[in-house]
mmCIF file of all heavy atoms in Angstrom:
data_model
loop_
_atom_site.group_PDB
_atom_site.id
_atom_site.type_symbol
_atom_site.label_atom_id
_atom_site.label_comp_id
_atom_site.label_asym_id
_atom_site.label_seq_id
_atom_site.Cartn_x
_atom_site.Cartn_y
_atom_site.Cartn_z
ATOM 1 N N ASP A 583 52.095 104.263 115.101
ATOM 2 C CA ASP A 583 52.980 105.426 114.929
ATOM 3 C C ASP A 583 52.945 106.336 116.158
ATOM 4 O O ASP A 583 53.985 106.837 116.611
ATOM 5 C CB ASP A 583 52.581 106.228 113.686
ATOM 6 C CG ASP A 583 52.953 105.528 112.393
ATOM 7 O OD1 ASP A 583 53.750 104.570 112.460
ATOM 8 O OD2 ASP A 583 52.451 105.921 111.331
ATOM 9 N N ILE A 584 51.766 106.557 116.705
ATOM 10 C CA ILE A 584 51.617 107.399 117.888
ATOM 11 C C ILE A 584 52.389 106.792 119.062
ATOM 12 O O ILE A 584 53.150 107.478 119.739
ATOM 13 C CB ILE A 584 50.132 107.592 118.276
ATOM 14 C CG1 ILE A 584 49.413 108.439 117.213
ATOM 15 C CG2 ILE A 584 50.014 108.260 119.638
ATOM 16 C CD1 ILE A 584 47.908 108.536 117.416
ATOM 17 N N ARG A 585 52.209 105.493 119.268
ATOM 18 C CA ARG A 585 52.907 104.837 120.389
ATOM 19 C C ARG A 585 54.417 104.881 120.197
ATOM 20 O O ARG A 585 55.179 105.053 121.167
ATOM 21 C CB ARG A 585 52.423 103.387 120.517
ATOM 22 C CG ARG A 585 50.997 103.261 121.045
ATOM 23 C CD ARG A 585 50.651 101.819 121.397
ATOM 24 N NE ARG A 585 49.324 101.735 121.987
ATOM 25 C CZ ARG A 585 48.205 101.528 121.288
ATOM 26 N NH1 ARG A 585 48.272 101.381 119.971
ATOM 27 N NH2 ARG A 585 47.048 101.492 121.896
ATOM 28 N N SER A 586 54.869 104.724 118.953
ATOM 29 C CA SER A 586 56.300 104.748 118.659
ATOM 30 C C SER A 586 56.903 106.113 118.983
ATOM 31 O O SER A 586 57.955 106.218 119.615
ATOM 32 C CB SER A 586 56.547 104.389 117.199
ATOM 33 O OG SER A 586 57.898 104.527 116.858
ATOM 34 N N ILE A 587 56.226 107.170 118.526
ATOM 35 C CA ILE A 587 56.706 108.545 118.800
ATOM 36 C C ILE A 587 56.697 108.849 120.294
ATOM 37 O O ILE A 587 57.667 109.380 120.833
ATOM 38 C CB ILE A 587 55.853 109.581 118.032
ATOM 39 C CG1 ILE A 587 56.046 109.440 116.519
ATOM 40 C CG2 ILE A 587 56.174 110.983 118.479
ATOM 41 C CD1 ILE A 587 57.376 109.884 116.011
ATOM 42 N N LEU A 588 55.610 108.503 120.963
ATOM 43 C CA LEU A 588 55.519 108.763 122.407
ATOM 44 C C LEU A 588 56.586 108.004 123.183
ATOM 45 O O LEU A 588 57.172 108.517 124.132
ATOM 46 C CB LEU A 588 54.116 108.416 122.923
ATOM 47 C CG LEU A 588 52.984 109.356 122.489
ATOM 48 C CD1 LEU A 588 51.641 108.832 122.982
ATOM 49 C CD2 LEU A 588 53.208 110.767 122.997
ATOM 50 N N SER A 589 56.835 106.785 122.775
ATOM 51 C CA SER A 589 57.879 105.986 123.427
ATOM 52 C C SER A 589 59.241 106.613 123.202
ATOM 53 O O SER A 589 60.047 106.752 124.125
ATOM 54 C CB SER A 589 57.842 104.559 122.890
ATOM 55 O OG SER A 589 58.911 103.793 123.442
ATOM 56 N N GLY A 590 59.512 107.019 121.937
ATOM 57 C CA GLY A 590 60.815 107.623 121.619
ATOM 58 C C GLY A 590 61.060 108.916 122.369
ATOM 59 O O GLY A 590 62.190 109.222 122.744
ATOM 60 N N LEU A 591 59.976 109.678 122.644
ATOM 61 C CA LEU A 591 60.098 110.935 123.369
ATOM 62 C C LEU A 591 59.917 110.764 124.875
ATOM 63 O O LEU A 591 59.626 111.723 125.589
ATOM 64 C CB LEU A 591 59.088 111.944 122.815
ATOM 65 C CG LEU A 591 59.370 112.410 121.383
ATOM 66 C CD1 LEU A 591 58.228 113.266 120.867
ATOM 67 C CD2 LEU A 591 60.689 113.170 121.305
ATOM 68 N N ASN A 592 60.093 109.533 125.342
ATOM 69 C CA ASN A 592 60.143 109.242 126.779
ATOM 70 C C ASN A 592 58.780 109.361 127.468
ATOM 71 O O ASN A 592 58.697 109.793 128.618
ATOM 72 C CB ASN A 592 61.167 110.145 127.465
ATOM 73 C CG ASN A 592 61.779 109.515 128.687
ATOM 74 O OD1 ASN A 592 61.655 108.295 128.914
ATOM 75 N ND2 ASN A 592 62.442 110.298 129.506
ATOM 76 N N PHE A 593 57.700 108.958 126.771
ATOM 77 C CA PHE A 593 56.381 108.943 127.383
ATOM 78 C C PHE A 593 55.842 107.518 127.517
ATOM 79 O O PHE A 593 54.661 107.345 127.765
ATOM 80 C CB PHE A 593 55.390 109.770 126.541
ATOM 81 C CG PHE A 593 55.588 111.256 126.686
ATOM 82 C CD1 PHE A 593 56.310 111.977 125.763
ATOM 83 C CD2 PHE A 593 55.047 111.936 127.773
ATOM 84 C CE1 PHE A 593 56.499 113.335 125.879
ATOM 85 C CE2 PHE A 593 55.208 113.303 127.918
ATOM 86 C CZ PHE A 593 55.948 114.018 126.962
ATOM 87 N N ALA A 594 56.693 106.519 127.318
ATOM 88 C CA ALA A 594 56.227 105.128 127.337
ATOM 89 C C ALA A 594 55.613 104.743 128.685
ATOM 90 O O ALA A 594 54.672 103.963 128.749
ATOM 91 C CB ALA A 594 57.387 104.185 126.996
ATOM 92 N N SER A 595 56.153 105.309 129.763
ATOM 93 C CA SER A 595 55.663 104.943 131.108
ATOM 94 C C SER A 595 54.441 105.764 131.536
ATOM 95 O O SER A 595 53.891 105.531 132.608
ATOM 96 C CB SER A 595 56.778 105.148 132.130
ATOM 97 O OG SER A 595 57.187 106.501 132.162
ATOM 98 N N PHE A 596 54.021 106.724 130.706
ATOM 99 C CA PHE A 596 52.897 107.588 131.066
ATOM 100 C C PHE A 596 51.564 106.906 130.792
ATOM 101 O O PHE A 596 51.443 106.098 129.867
ATOM 102 C CB PHE A 596 52.948 108.896 130.259
ATOM 103 C CG PHE A 596 53.874 109.938 130.818
ATOM 104 C CD1 PHE A 596 55.238 109.723 130.860
ATOM 105 C CD2 PHE A 596 53.379 111.134 131.316
ATOM 106 C CE1 PHE A 596 56.112 110.670 131.358
ATOM 107 C CE2 PHE A 596 54.238 112.093 131.820
ATOM 108 C CZ PHE A 596 55.597 111.876 131.850
ATOM 109 N N ASP A 597 50.563 107.271 131.594
ATOM 110 C CA ASP A 597 49.185 106.929 131.291
ATOM 111 C C ASP A 597 48.735 107.909 130.201
ATOM 112 O O ASP A 597 48.713 109.127 130.408
ATOM 113 C CB ASP A 597 48.316 107.086 132.544
ATOM 114 C CG ASP A 597 46.869 106.721 132.301
ATOM 115 O OD1 ASP A 597 46.474 106.560 131.120
ATOM 116 O OD2 ASP A 597 46.106 106.614 133.290
ATOM 117 N N TYR A 598 48.383 107.386 129.017
ATOM 118 C CA TYR A 598 48.055 108.264 127.891
ATOM 119 C C TYR A 598 46.778 109.065 128.096
ATOM 120 O O TYR A 598 46.477 109.968 127.317
ATOM 121 C CB TYR A 598 47.977 107.450 126.592
ATOM 122 C CG TYR A 598 49.287 106.893 126.111
ATOM 123 C CD1 TYR A 598 49.353 105.848 125.205
ATOM 124 C CD2 TYR A 598 50.478 107.413 126.592
ATOM 125 C CE1 TYR A 598 50.572 105.343 124.769
ATOM 126 C CE2 TYR A 598 51.711 106.929 126.182
ATOM 127 C CZ TYR A 598 51.760 105.877 125.262
ATOM 128 O OH TYR A 598 52.956 105.393 124.831
ATOM 129 N N SER A 599 46.035 108.749 129.143
ATOM 130 C CA SER A 599 44.845 109.539 129.451
ATOM 131 C C SER A 599 45.185 110.760 130.316
ATOM 132 O O SER A 599 44.311 111.544 130.661
ATOM 133 C CB SER A 599 43.787 108.685 130.165
ATOM 134 O OG SER A 599 44.282 108.249 131.424
ATOM 135 N N THR A 600 46.468 110.934 130.639
ATOM 136 C CA THR A 600 46.923 112.073 131.436
ATOM 137 C C THR A 600 46.615 113.397 130.730
ATOM 138 O O THR A 600 46.969 113.551 129.554
ATOM 139 C CB THR A 600 48.434 111.975 131.698
ATOM 140 O OG1 THR A 600 48.731 110.750 132.345
ATOM 141 C CG2 THR A 600 48.913 113.136 132.566
ATOM 142 N N PRO A 601 45.993 114.355 131.387
ATOM 143 C CA PRO A 601 45.724 115.659 130.746
ATOM 144 C C PRO A 601 47.037 116.397 130.471
ATOM 145 O O PRO A 601 47.927 116.412 131.324
ATOM 146 C CB PRO A 601 44.893 116.418 131.796
ATOM 147 C CG PRO A 601 44.403 115.382 132.740
ATOM 148 C CD PRO A 601 45.411 114.279 132.744
ATOM 149 N N ILE A 602 47.171 116.977 129.299
ATOM 150 C CA ILE A 602 48.382 117.710 128.940
ATOM 151 C C ILE A 602 48.595 118.891 129.857
ATOM 152 O O ILE A 602 49.742 119.255 130.177
ATOM 153 C CB ILE A 602 48.315 118.138 127.462
ATOM 154 C CG1 ILE A 602 48.430 116.909 126.549
ATOM 155 C CG2 ILE A 602 49.395 119.149 127.102
ATOM 156 C CD1 ILE A 602 48.214 117.152 125.092
ATOM 157 N N SER A 603 47.518 119.487 130.328
ATOM 158 C CA SER A 603 47.626 120.657 131.209
ATOM 159 C C SER A 603 48.345 120.362 132.521
ATOM 160 O O SER A 603 48.838 121.264 133.179
ATOM 161 C CB SER A 603 46.234 121.203 131.508
ATOM 162 O OG SER A 603 45.409 120.204 132.083
ATOM 163 N N SER A 604 48.431 119.090 132.891
ATOM 164 C CA SER A 604 49.079 118.714 134.153
ATOM 165 C C SER A 604 50.574 118.448 134.002
ATOM 166 O O SER A 604 51.266 118.184 134.982
ATOM 167 C CB SER A 604 48.408 117.465 134.748
ATOM 168 O OG SER A 604 48.670 116.325 133.931
ATOM 169 N N LEU A 605 51.090 118.530 132.770
ATOM 170 C CA LEU A 605 52.494 118.199 132.497
ATOM 171 C C LEU A 605 53.410 119.404 132.728
ATOM 172 O O LEU A 605 52.955 120.554 132.744
ATOM 173 C CB LEU A 605 52.651 117.690 131.074
ATOM 174 C CG LEU A 605 51.836 116.451 130.701
ATOM 175 C CD1 LEU A 605 52.069 116.097 129.235
ATOM 176 C CD2 LEU A 605 52.217 115.270 131.595
ATOM 177 N N SER A 606 54.711 119.142 132.842
ATOM 178 C CA SER A 606 55.702 120.198 133.001
ATOM 179 C C SER A 606 55.960 120.889 131.656
ATOM 180 O O SER A 606 55.563 120.382 130.590
ATOM 181 C CB SER A 606 57.022 119.629 133.517
ATOM 182 O OG SER A 606 57.630 118.796 132.532
ATOM 183 N N GLY A 607 56.663 122.018 131.687
ATOM 184 C CA GLY A 607 56.981 122.741 130.463
ATOM 185 C C GLY A 607 57.808 121.921 129.484
ATOM 186 O O GLY A 607 57.543 121.912 128.278
ATOM 187 N N GLY A 608 58.804 121.219 130.025
ATOM 188 C CA GLY A 608 59.649 120.377 129.174
ATOM 189 C C GLY A 608 58.877 119.254 128.523
ATOM 190 O O GLY A 608 59.108 118.918 127.350
ATOM 191 N N GLN A 609 57.955 118.640 129.284
ATOM 192 C CA GLN A 609 57.134 117.566 128.724
ATOM 193 C C GLN A 609 56.201 118.074 127.638
ATOM 194 O O GLN A 609 56.005 117.425 126.618
ATOM 195 C CB GLN A 609 56.335 116.900 129.865
ATOM 196 C CG GLN A 609 57.195 116.084 130.813
ATOM 197 C CD GLN A 609 56.489 115.745 132.116
ATOM 198 O OE1 GLN A 609 55.484 116.374 132.472
ATOM 199 N NE2 GLN A 609 56.998 114.772 132.838
ATOM 200 N N LYS A 610 55.653 119.264 127.843
ATOM 201 C CA LYS A 610 54.788 119.872 126.818
ATOM 202 C C LYS A 610 55.572 120.167 125.546
ATOM 203 O O LYS A 610 55.051 120.022 124.432
ATOM 204 C CB LYS A 610 54.149 121.151 127.361
ATOM 205 C CG LYS A 610 53.097 120.913 128.432
ATOM 206 C CD LYS A 610 52.545 122.226 128.956
ATOM 207 C CE LYS A 610 51.488 122.009 130.036
ATOM 208 N NZ LYS A 610 50.995 123.289 130.577
ATOM 209 N N THR A 611 56.830 120.591 125.707
ATOM 210 C CA THR A 611 57.683 120.856 124.537
ATOM 211 C C THR A 611 57.932 119.588 123.747
ATOM 212 O O THR A 611 57.883 119.578 122.522
ATOM 213 C CB THR A 611 59.017 121.484 124.983
ATOM 214 O OG1 THR A 611 58.748 122.718 125.661
ATOM 215 C CG2 THR A 611 59.924 121.764 123.785
ATOM 216 N N ARG A 612 58.199 118.486 124.485
ATOM 217 C CA ARG A 612 58.435 117.216 123.793
ATOM 218 C C ARG A 612 57.183 116.737 123.070
ATOM 219 O O ARG A 612 57.261 116.163 121.988
ATOM 220 C CB ARG A 612 58.917 116.162 124.801
ATOM 221 C CG ARG A 612 60.387 116.310 125.166
ATOM 222 C CD ARG A 612 60.879 115.156 126.016
ATOM 223 N NE ARG A 612 60.514 115.305 127.406
ATOM 224 C CZ ARG A 612 59.963 114.364 128.145
ATOM 225 N NH1 ARG A 612 59.652 113.204 127.634
ATOM 226 N NH2 ARG A 612 59.683 114.603 129.414
ATOM 227 N N LEU A 613 56.003 116.966 123.676
ATOM 228 C CA LEU A 613 54.754 116.558 123.021
ATOM 229 C C LEU A 613 54.497 117.398 121.768
ATOM 230 O O LEU A 613 53.999 116.894 120.756
ATOM 231 C CB LEU A 613 53.585 116.726 123.978
ATOM 232 C CG LEU A 613 53.372 115.580 124.986
ATOM 233 C CD1 LEU A 613 52.170 115.854 125.848
ATOM 234 C CD2 LEU A 613 53.208 114.238 124.281
ATOM 235 N N ALA A 614 54.855 118.695 121.827
ATOM 236 C CA ALA A 614 54.714 119.542 120.638
ATOM 237 C C ALA A 614 55.580 119.019 119.497
ATOM 238 O O ALA A 614 55.173 118.982 118.332
ATOM 239 C CB ALA A 614 55.091 120.987 120.967
ATOM 240 N N LEU A 615 56.795 118.589 119.841
ATOM 241 C CA LEU A 615 57.688 117.986 118.845
ATOM 242 C C LEU A 615 57.075 116.685 118.315
ATOM 243 O O LEU A 615 57.083 116.445 117.095
ATOM 244 C CB LEU A 615 59.062 117.726 119.473
ATOM 245 C CG LEU A 615 60.074 116.958 118.627
ATOM 246 C CD1 LEU A 615 60.373 117.696 117.329
ATOM 247 C CD2 LEU A 615 61.356 116.714 119.407
ATOM 248 N N GLY A 616 56.550 115.868 119.210
ATOM 249 C CA GLY A 616 55.951 114.584 118.797
ATOM 250 C C GLY A 616 54.787 114.787 117.854
ATOM 251 O O GLY A 616 54.653 114.080 116.847
ATOM 252 N N LYS A 617 53.934 115.751 118.155
ATOM 253 C CA LYS A 617 52.773 116.026 117.314
ATOM 254 C C LYS A 617 53.201 116.476 115.924
ATOM 255 O O LYS A 617 52.623 116.091 114.906
ATOM 256 C CB LYS A 617 51.912 117.080 117.953
ATOM 257 C CG LYS A 617 50.558 117.283 117.277
ATOM 258 C CD LYS A 617 49.676 118.266 118.035
ATOM 259 C CE LYS A 617 48.353 118.480 117.284
ATOM 260 N NZ LYS A 617 47.489 119.471 117.960
ATOM 261 N N LEU A 618 54.268 117.295 115.883
ATOM 262 C CA LEU A 618 54.791 117.771 114.594
ATOM 263 C C LEU A 618 55.381 116.624 113.786
ATOM 264 O O LEU A 618 55.154 116.521 112.570
ATOM 265 C CB LEU A 618 55.852 118.849 114.840
ATOM 266 C CG LEU A 618 56.466 119.482 113.594
ATOM 267 C CD1 LEU A 618 55.404 120.153 112.748
ATOM 268 C CD2 LEU A 618 57.543 120.488 113.978
ATOM 269 N N LEU A 619 56.108 115.718 114.427
ATOM 270 C CA LEU A 619 56.695 114.577 113.729
ATOM 271 C C LEU A 619 55.614 113.658 113.157
ATOM 272 O O LEU A 619 55.760 113.126 112.054
ATOM 273 C CB LEU A 619 57.622 113.785 114.666
ATOM 274 C CG LEU A 619 58.865 114.512 115.185
ATOM 275 C CD1 LEU A 619 59.649 113.626 116.141
ATOM 276 C CD2 LEU A 619 59.773 114.953 114.041
ATOM 277 N N LEU A 620 54.528 113.501 113.902
ATOM 278 C CA LEU A 620 53.429 112.647 113.434
ATOM 279 C C LEU A 620 52.728 113.233 112.205
ATOM 280 O O LEU A 620 52.197 112.487 111.375
ATOM 281 C CB LEU A 620 52.397 112.457 114.545
ATOM 282 C CG LEU A 620 52.780 111.468 115.654
ATOM 283 C CD1 LEU A 620 51.820 111.581 116.824
ATOM 284 C CD2 LEU A 620 52.821 110.034 115.136
ATOM 285 N N SER A 621 52.732 114.554 112.075
ATOM 286 C CA SER A 621 52.067 115.206 110.942
ATOM 287 C C SER A 621 52.851 115.018 109.635
ATOM 288 O O SER A 621 52.301 115.198 108.567
ATOM 289 C CB SER A 621 51.851 116.698 111.211
ATOM 290 O OG SER A 621 53.100 117.385 111.241
ATOM 291 N N LYS A 622 54.132 114.681 109.731
ATOM 292 C CA LYS A 622 54.989 114.352 108.584
ATOM 293 C C LYS A 622 54.891 115.337 107.422
ATOM 294 O O LYS A 622 54.533 114.991 106.302
ATOM 295 C CB LYS A 622 54.667 112.936 108.062
ATOM 296 C CG LYS A 622 54.918 111.846 109.093
ATOM 297 C CD LYS A 622 54.535 110.483 108.587
ATOM 298 C CE LYS A 622 54.745 109.429 109.670
ATOM 299 N NZ LYS A 622 54.301 108.070 109.250
ATOM 300 N N PRO A 623 55.216 116.624 107.691
ATOM 301 C CA PRO A 623 55.192 117.611 106.593
ATOM 302 C C PRO A 623 56.336 117.375 105.623
ATOM 303 O O PRO A 623 57.341 116.761 105.961
ATOM 304 C CB PRO A 623 55.374 118.944 107.334
ATOM 305 C CG PRO A 623 56.125 118.575 108.568
ATOM 306 C CD PRO A 623 55.650 117.212 108.966
ATOM 307 N N GLU A 624 56.178 117.895 104.391
ATOM 308 C CA GLU A 624 57.250 117.746 103.385
ATOM 309 C C GLU A 624 58.494 118.529 103.791
ATOM 310 O O GLU A 624 59.614 118.175 103.442
ATOM 311 C CB GLU A 624 56.764 118.218 102.002
ATOM 312 C CG GLU A 624 55.792 117.300 101.320
ATOM 313 C CD GLU A 624 54.362 117.531 101.714
ATOM 314 O OE1 GLU A 624 54.105 118.348 102.626
ATOM 315 O OE2 GLU A 624 53.479 116.890 101.124
ATOM 316 N N LEU A 625 58.300 119.646 104.529
ATOM 317 C CA LEU A 625 59.424 120.433 105.029
ATOM 318 C C LEU A 625 59.242 120.650 106.527
ATOM 319 O O LEU A 625 58.291 121.274 106.991
ATOM 320 C CB LEU A 625 59.498 121.801 104.306
ATOM 321 C CG LEU A 625 60.590 122.750 104.804
ATOM 322 C CD1 LEU A 625 61.969 122.090 104.685
ATOM 323 C CD2 LEU A 625 60.568 124.056 104.027
ATOM 324 N N LEU A 626 60.162 120.068 107.282
ATOM 325 C CA LEU A 626 60.132 120.135 108.735
ATOM 326 C C LEU A 626 61.099 121.230 109.194
ATOM 327 O O LEU A 626 62.285 121.192 108.893
ATOM 328 C CB LEU A 626 60.574 118.774 109.297
ATOM 329 C CG LEU A 626 60.394 118.467 110.774
ATOM 330 C CD1 LEU A 626 58.935 118.573 111.185
ATOM 331 C CD2 LEU A 626 60.930 117.085 111.084
ATOM 332 N N ILE A 627 60.573 122.239 109.882
ATOM 333 C CA ILE A 627 61.377 123.384 110.328
ATOM 334 C C ILE A 627 61.480 123.346 111.846
ATOM 335 O O ILE A 627 60.458 123.463 112.546
ATOM 336 C CB ILE A 627 60.750 124.699 109.861
ATOM 337 C CG1 ILE A 627 60.623 124.710 108.331
ATOM 338 C CG2 ILE A 627 61.608 125.895 110.321
ATOM 339 C CD1 ILE A 627 59.887 125.927 107.789
ATOM 340 N N LEU A 628 62.687 123.166 112.371
ATOM 341 C CA LEU A 628 62.883 122.959 113.808
ATOM 342 C C LEU A 628 63.852 123.987 114.363
ATOM 343 O O LEU A 628 64.967 124.145 113.856
ATOM 344 C CB LEU A 628 63.436 121.545 114.063
ATOM 345 C CG LEU A 628 62.615 120.374 113.534
ATOM 346 C CD1 LEU A 628 63.376 119.071 113.704
ATOM 347 C CD2 LEU A 628 61.261 120.304 114.241
ATOM 348 N N ASP A 629 63.430 124.677 115.420
ATOM 349 C CA ASP A 629 64.268 125.663 116.090
ATOM 350 C C ASP A 629 64.658 125.125 117.457
ATOM 351 O O ASP A 629 63.838 125.072 118.367
ATOM 352 C CB ASP A 629 63.534 126.986 116.208
ATOM 353 C CG ASP A 629 64.470 128.147 116.593
ATOM 354 O OD1 ASP A 629 65.665 127.891 116.819
ATOM 355 O OD2 ASP A 629 63.985 129.306 116.647
ATOM 356 N N GLU A 630 65.893 124.692 117.569
ATOM 357 C CA GLU A 630 66.427 124.126 118.808
ATOM 358 C C GLU A 630 65.572 122.968 119.343
ATOM 359 O O GLU A 630 65.080 122.998 120.482
ATOM 360 C CB GLU A 630 66.570 125.198 119.907
ATOM 361 C CG GLU A 630 67.664 126.209 119.632
ATOM 362 C CD GLU A 630 69.067 125.639 119.755
ATOM 363 O OE1 GLU A 630 69.215 124.453 120.153
ATOM 364 O OE2 GLU A 630 70.024 126.355 119.466
#
């Protein structure tokens, strides 16, 4: 599931050991979205 989400959010070519602190703002936003999707809450609230 993790690999599927990361691939869908355009991280397939990344080394998964890459520190998040070294990423751009847009990449961090996509990772925040990916982490939320993986948590699979009963109610998903998304702002833009």
